[in-house]
């Protein structure tokens, strides 16, 4: 008998009909002889609706009360799902995050899981029941308050439960067929990946692939949880996200014991949410970069790429550019402007019309010529590269925002990732 954790996103439980459909799916897995723990998101867009409501009441809702409000969304779906399962003659019990033992720190709206004590879930399983857990929420022991894990946090709930219970696999049910080599809405010839390593998935998620939340992937990687990302609208095998060092026998069986060699490239992703700040005319002497990024760090901005140009010998001045989320641009510009005299730079430029493309593949470690091929493909399409950064298994480039989709397509083709037929897009959001 296997223990399976299943997570259903908001789009899979959007209305009563969908909840009944999901209930049937859960019961089928139960009938096949498995123990099941389910993590469920709030129905459809109800979290957004609750957020809107809060902002109609006050422009800045109190964080504690906002968490109280938002956690109600998952409480609704968990109870309805448990009722639906019970009506089919199977025992099911719903649990809030705190009842399920999701212990977090005290940070409202972005709490981190510090411990998972799923005693009540174990008891329910021992008694033959299906345990349904409200996703995205936890409880802090010091403040004794309810917390939320941040948007999309139900993925993390599912992974944390799978880790704590030693589940054989954590199935993430969504409205797309799995992880694709690129966003099929932009690259029609994208193909579904049968499997992707968790380190590749982390890079893809960081680069803008939205199907899985990065914190959940991190958690899965750290705790050796194998994920199966698949559609709740069909029975197809989706994508296995695995840590090669810790692949479970159950996951290996889903993969049919395939031992084909890993492809060099897993996929390509794009991100249009960043902007570029250039600090112009920085004195090229030790300590200036430190000064600048200390100012930036104080704003808590998430700096991604950094490029420093060589200084023209005659001026002794250099330019430093970096990217960061657009939403953090204004506060960083203000902070830098306030310190302009101190640092002694000439000016600031802000560019929010950039796109970032990332090519990801574990095979880059052992294959040369990957970057040359990438640059060549962009050159042939007449796309200018403005910044470049690399990790062991990723190459990222910044281009103009309006060329990013074309860039995705030509790079996808250049690396032989195109499938023979067009991907079927159900208009899903991946949530
Ligand atoms: N309901 C929450 C959200 O929409 C959590 C989740 O869906 O995972 O962000
Ligand atoms: Mg949601």
């Amino acid at each position: 008998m296997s223990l399976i954790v299943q997570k259903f996103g908001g789009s899979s439980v959007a209305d009563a009909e969908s909840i009944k459909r999901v209930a049937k799916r859960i019961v089928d897995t139960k009938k096949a002889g498995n123990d099941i723990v389910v993590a469920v998101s709030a129905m459809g867009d109800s979290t957004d609706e609750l957020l809107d409501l809060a902002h109609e009441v006050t422009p800045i809702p109190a964080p504690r009360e906002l968490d109280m409000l938002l956690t109600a969304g998952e409480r609704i779906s968990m109870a309805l799902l448990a009722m639906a399962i019970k009506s089919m003659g199977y025992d099911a019990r719903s649990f809030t995050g705190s009842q399920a033992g999701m212990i977090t720190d005290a940070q409202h709206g972005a709490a981190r899981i510090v411990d998972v004590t799923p005693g009540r879930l174990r008891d329910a399983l021992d008694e033959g029941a299906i345990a349904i857990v409200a996703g995205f929420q936890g409880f802090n022991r010091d403040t004794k308050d309810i917390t939320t894990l941040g948007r999309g946090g139900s993925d993390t709930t599912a992974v944390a439960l799978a880790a704590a219970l030693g589940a054989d696999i954590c199935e993430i049910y969504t409205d797309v067929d799995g992880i694709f080599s690129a966003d099929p809405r932009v690259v029609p010839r994208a193909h579904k990946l049968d499997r992707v390593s968790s380190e590749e998935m982390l890079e893809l998620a960081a680069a803008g692939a939205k199907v899985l939340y990065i914190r959940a992937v991190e958690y899965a990687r750290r705790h050796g949880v194998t994920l199966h990302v698949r559609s709740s609208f069909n029975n197809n095998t989706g994508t296995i996200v695995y840590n090669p060092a810790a692949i479970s026998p159950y996951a290996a069986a889903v993969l049919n014991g395939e031992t084909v060699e890993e492809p060099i490239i897993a996929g390509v992703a794009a991100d249009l949410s960043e902007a570029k700040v250039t600090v112009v005319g920085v004195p090229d002497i030790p300590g200036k970069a430190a000064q600048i990024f200390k100012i930036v760090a104080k704003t808590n901005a998430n700096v991604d790429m950094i490029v420093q140009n060589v200084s023209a010998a005659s001026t002794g001045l250099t330019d430093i550019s970096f990217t960061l989320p657009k939403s953090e641009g204004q506060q960083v510009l203000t902070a830098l402007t306030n310190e302009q005299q101190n640092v002694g730079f000439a000016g600031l430029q802000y560019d929010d019309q950039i796109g970032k493309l990332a090519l990801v593949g574990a095979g880059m470690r052992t294959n040369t010529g990957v970057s040359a091929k990438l640059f060549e493909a962009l050159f042939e399409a007449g796309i200018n590269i403005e910044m470049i950064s690399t990790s062991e298994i990723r190459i990222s480039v910044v281009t103009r925002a309006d060329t990013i989709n074309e860039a995705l397509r030509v790079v996808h083709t250049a690396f032989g990732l195109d499938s023979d037929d067009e991907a079927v897009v159900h208009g899903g959001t991946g949530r």
Side-chain angles (χ1 to χ4, degrees), residues 10 41-42 44 47 151:
S41 292
T47 305
R151 295 309 305 270

Side-chain angles (χ1 to χ4, degrees), residues 95-151:
F95 297 95
T96 64
S98 74
Q99 287 176 323
M102 300 292 302
I103 311 300
T104 72
D105 64 15
Q107 216 193 326
H108 287 294
R112 298 214 149 241
I113 297 165
V114 295
D115 197 7
V116 184
T117 54
R120 293 193 66 183
L121 305 187
R122 282 241 183 262
D123 292 345
L125 293 175
D126 288 347
E127 288 159 27
I130 294 163
I132 315 280
V133 180
F136 161 71
Q137 55 182 263
F139 173 77
N140 180 261
R141 280 178 177 141
D142 301 326
T143 62
K144 302 199 165 34
D145 278 328
I146 301 295
T147 55
T148 62
L149 309 179
R151 295 309 305 270

Side-chain angles (χ1 to χ4, degrees), residues 157-346:
T157 302
V159 173
L161 290 173
L165 293 163
D168 294 283
I169 199 153
C170 178
E171 297 183 331
I172 308 277
Y173 284 92
T174 176
D175 61 358
V176 294
D177 284 342
I179 311 287
F180 280 74
S181 55
D183 183 341
R185 283 163 298 188
V186 179
V187 183
R189 301 234 170 252
H191 66 273
K192 189 202 63 142
L193 305 175
D194 292 334
R195 56 165 143 177
V196 62
S197 70
S198 43
E199 63 168 352
E200 288 170 320
M201 192 61 232
L202 267 183
E203 292 279 12
L204 285 170
K210 292 183 194 71
V211 179
L212 275 181
Y213 273 83
I214 190 156
R215 274 179 59 194
V217 184
E218 262 164 11
Y219 203 105
R221 178 166 147 83
R222 229 177 315 123
H223 293 84
V225 174
T226 307
L227 308 178
H228 183 182
V229 182
R230 59 195 304 197
S231 169
S232 68
F233 296 89
N234 59 46
N235 269 314
N236 302 342
T237 304
T239 303
I240 299 283
V241 184
Y242 67 106
N243 179 343
I247 187 157
S248 72
Y250 186 95
V254 176
L255 282 168
N256 276 329
E258 265 178 61
T259 51
V260 289
E261 205 185 320
E262 294 295 318
I264 299 171
I265 301 300
V268 57
D271 187 355
L272 287 168
S273 68
E274 300 213 327
K276 179 168 77 171
V277 174
T278 302
V279 191
V280 183
V282 182
D284 196 2
I285 52 173
K288 285 299 162 189
Q291 233 180 330
I292 289 170
F293 286 101
K294 222 184 262 169
I295 297 164
V296 174
K298 273 203 198 128
T299 68
N300 280 323
N302 254 312
V303 171
D304 180 23
M305 290 188 182
I306 302 176
V307 170
Q308 176 176 337
N309 294 319
V310 268
S311 58
S314 55
T315 62
L317 298 177
T318 181
D319 296 344
I320 297 179
S321 297
F322 55 90
T323 62
L324 79 182
K326 281 179 194 167
S327 57
E328 294 168 349
Q330 196 48 55
Q331 46 181 357
V332 167
L333 291 181
T334 307
L336 284 169
T337 306
N338 290 342
E339 298 285 338
Q340 181 165 3
Q341 296 297 329
N342 269 337
V343 185
F345 60 85

